[in-house]
Amino acid sequence: MRSLPLLVTLLLAPTATAQEPADTHPPAGVRLRGSSGARLFEASVPGQLLDWVTLVNGDSERQIYLLAAVEKEKENETTEGKEEEREARCVLYRADLDDEALIVVREGIDCEFDRLVALDLDADGDEELLVGRPGEILQVTHPGSDDAGLEPLFSARGVDLASQLPVRGSAPQLGELALTNVGLLRRLGPTESGWGRIADHTLPTRATPHRKGLRLTTPPSTLLRLADGDLYATGPESSGNLRLRTVLLSPDENTEPREVWSRLPGLETVQWSWFHTLDGRPMLIVTTNSADKLGIFERQKLRVYPLVGDRTLAGVRPKLEAQTSSRRWQEVKPFILDLDDDGDDDLVVAQYDGLGGGKVKIEAFLTGANRRFETRTRSTVVECSANGWHFGEDLTGDGLADLVLVCDGDVAVYPGLAIGKSKLVDKRPRWSCAGSDVPREDHSVELSGEGVAVTDHRPDATGTPALIDLDGDGRSELLLAENPRWGFGRLRVVYLP
């Protein structure tokens, strides 16, 4: 007898202090308002915000570009008269913060083009603006003028700017893109004949039964920038419930891929995974849950593995084993930085605390003189129903890493505390800005004979705070893209006091 999977959808409950959503339909444009000494710009578009990017062009200041799907009314002739319908068209905008203006760069773009990338194609120090859809990449010519155009740059089946690899370590090489597809890593960049395909690398694939055949999938990949050369890390793939397999690729096509095995402490399944660099060495970070029991409210376990060879193939054991406070369906996010200024990287983990997600726990695992993680940790629990976070930048000017939280649209900066204290950040924000109620994402938890799988259908990076130095003064500004349920898309830009 075959049992059917049970699908349970868990909606994170709003906190008791949640307010009714405000009117988030301001007219399209850029407006400036102050908040506790900060300068807050809101660039609103008349529709859904698809993507945004900052572009270095001509000087140290960055230009901001927004791609939006704008609704346009049209009339259809019917037998009963005229009937109004609405269709979407995509518009590329530039947000001019100095003049508080939203400038149309290009109209009438096919809405299949939904990704923007800034890339220095010719290594002259200025970045070019790219717009992409599945199968095609275009370059926006003269984006800062009135005669902006679109020119083909590269096209191939499976190429997609949305599949650009995350980069860990130093900045990526100028002018190069690394894009993945099922079974394929495609590198694009400067060539002898211009700009195009540099090399293709085969990635591992997995075939699983599907009602119409087989479903082919490839594990996520990350570009690791290391002192002795780049590596492309793909995985991890579970081999039973005790081992994880990672494939490491070199950009050198003559170098064979190598497998690295990591051993789980017990029977566990992976919920979240990340590749990072720690003190210049490649690392795998995972959170897991028990594979031999279906405890839906079980807290995730944290494991950190060095990506080094193991002749026995039994798998290298983790250099850190810890418990998080996040449940199966709740997000966890690691950050790598030298927290105590001792020259060694430390690990900071943002996680939820409690079933309803109304609290955030930020916890630091410090490395000692022997580069092993210390037993004691530093942590702070903040009362906040967060749906976006960032840790590591000094935003208050005291030389300490600060925490940024987005709580139902409100943006708050929590200052870091001095080295030696048990708390990591202050429980009260140094600065906050009220915003409209942006709905939390819902997650699904699927129970079956193979274990528990958590999926998150977040379509893009909206709701995640980004820290970028826009004016070249050495201090980062805070940017947050949003598509509120009750309003149009917008990008908030905050110059902190």
Side-chain angles (χ1 to χ4, degrees), residues 297-316:
F297 298 115
E298 179 188 2
R299 292 179 174 87
Q300 298 176 54
K301 304 174 182 66
L302 176 69
R303 280 80 173 93
V304 179
Y305 295 93
L307 292 177
V308 295
D310 173 30
R311 292 183 178 180
T312 67
L313 302 184
V316 175

Side-chain angles (χ1 to χ4, degrees), residues 46-58:
Q48 181 187 4
L49 179 60
L50 299 177
D51 205 359
W52 64 277
V53 75
T54 64
L55 185 74
V56 174
N57 196 335

Side-chain angles (χ1 to χ4, degrees), residues 444-458:
S444 65
V445 179
E446 184 176 337
L447 307 182
S448 68
E450 296 181 352
V452 180
V454 180
T455 59
D456 186 348
H457 301 288
R458 191 177 201 127

Side-chain angles (χ1 to χ4, degrees), residues 14-15 17-24 385 387 406-410 434-440 482-487 490 492:
T15 60
T17 58
Q19 299 177 351
E20 290 296 320
D23 180 11
T24 57
S385 181
N387 57 307
V406 182
C407 305
D408 294 327
D410 297 348
S436 302
D437 188 7
V438 179
R440 293 284 303 278
E482 301 164 308
N483 279 307
R485 178 181 298 174
W486 299 276
R490 68 185 178 197
R492 285 194 276 176

Side-chain angles (χ1 to χ4, degrees), residues 154-415:
F154 186 83
S155 62
R157 184 176 181 180
V159 66
D160 191 353
L161 289 180
S163 65
Q164 186 176 2
L165 262 63
V167 181
R168 304 293 180 232
S170 59
Q173 183 177 345
L174 294 177
E176 184 170 325
L177 285 175
L179 307 175
T180 59
N181 196 6
V182 176
L184 180 66
L185 167 64
R186 177 179 285 117
R187 293 170 52 217
L188 306 176
T191 65
E192 294 181 356
S193 58
W195 194 92
R197 188 194 311 267
I198 296 177
D200 290 344
H201 302 269
T202 302
L203 296 178
T205 57
R206 180 185 180 187
T208 55
H210 189 265
R211 62 181 181 178
K212 295 183 179 180
L214 292 177
R215 183 191 301 275
L216 294 178
T217 57
T218 292
S221 299
T222 301
L223 171 56
L224 303 177
R225 305 303 305 270
L226 308 172
D228 54 353
D230 293 349
L231 279 179
Y232 296 97
T234 301
E237 293 181 283
S238 296
S239 177
N241 294 318
L242 284 175
R243 292 191 307 163
L244 303 175
R245 173 180 174 259
T246 297
V247 176
L248 299 178
L249 297 171
S250 169
D252 184 358
E253 296 180 89
N254 297 321
T255 302
E256 290 293 325
R258 58 189 178 97
E259 295 180 343
V260 175
W261 294 91
S262 306
R263 188 168 187 83
L264 295 165
L267 298 178
E268 299 174 2
T269 57
V270 174
Q271 296 287 37
W272 304 87
S273 65
W274 309 264
F275 292 110
H276 266 280
T277 63
L278 188 72
D279 294 321
R281 296 168 295 161
M283 291 285 170
L284 169 65
I285 303 173
V286 299
T287 63
T288 66
N289 282 112
S290 301
D292 54 349
K293 61 181 180 180
L294 298 180
I296 193 170
F297 298 115
E298 179 188 2
R299 292 179 174 87
Q300 298 176 54
K301 304 174 182 66
L302 176 69
R303 280 80 173 93
V304 179
Y305 295 93
L307 292 177
V308 295
D310 173 30
R311 292 183 178 180
T312 67
L313 302 184
V316 175
R317 294 190 173 273
K319 66 176 298 182
L320 174 65
E321 299 179 38
Q323 183 80 43
T324 76
S325 57
S326 284
R327 313 288 173 157
R328 288 184 181 269
W329 66 92
Q330 293 173 329
E331 189 178 359
V332 178
K333 182 66 179 292
F335 300 91
I336 303 292
L337 70 158
D338 184 2
L339 191 62
D340 50 7
D341 200 26
D342 64 351
D344 293 328
D345 285 337
D346 307 299
L347 171 64
V348 177
V349 179
Q351 54 205 286
Y352 289 105
D353 191 30
L355 289 175
K359 298 179 182 179
V360 169
K361 181 179 180 181
I362 185 83
E363 185 173 15
F365 299 86
L366 304 178
T367 54
N370 56 1
R371 288 190 171 180
R372 293 184 178 180
F373 288 104
E374 298 177 354
T375 304
R376 294 181 57 185
T377 65
R378 298 178 61 197
S379 64
T380 302
V381 176
V382 177
E383 297 275 351
C384 170
S385 181
N387 57 307
W389 43 35
H390 187 283
F391 183 83
E393 296 274 350
D394 175 22
L395 298 174
T396 57
D398 59 2
L400 300 173
D402 301 319
L403 172 67
V404 179
L405 292 179
V406 182
C407 305
D408 294 327
D410 297 348
V411 184
V413 176
Y414 296 80

Side-chain angles (χ1 to χ4, degrees), residues 462-482:
T462 57
T464 301
L467 282 298
I468 301 173
D469 183 6
L470 294 176
D471 52 13
D473 65 352
R475 187 184 183 198
S476 294
E477 278 66 55
L478 174 61
L479 294 88
L480 179 65
E482 301 164 308

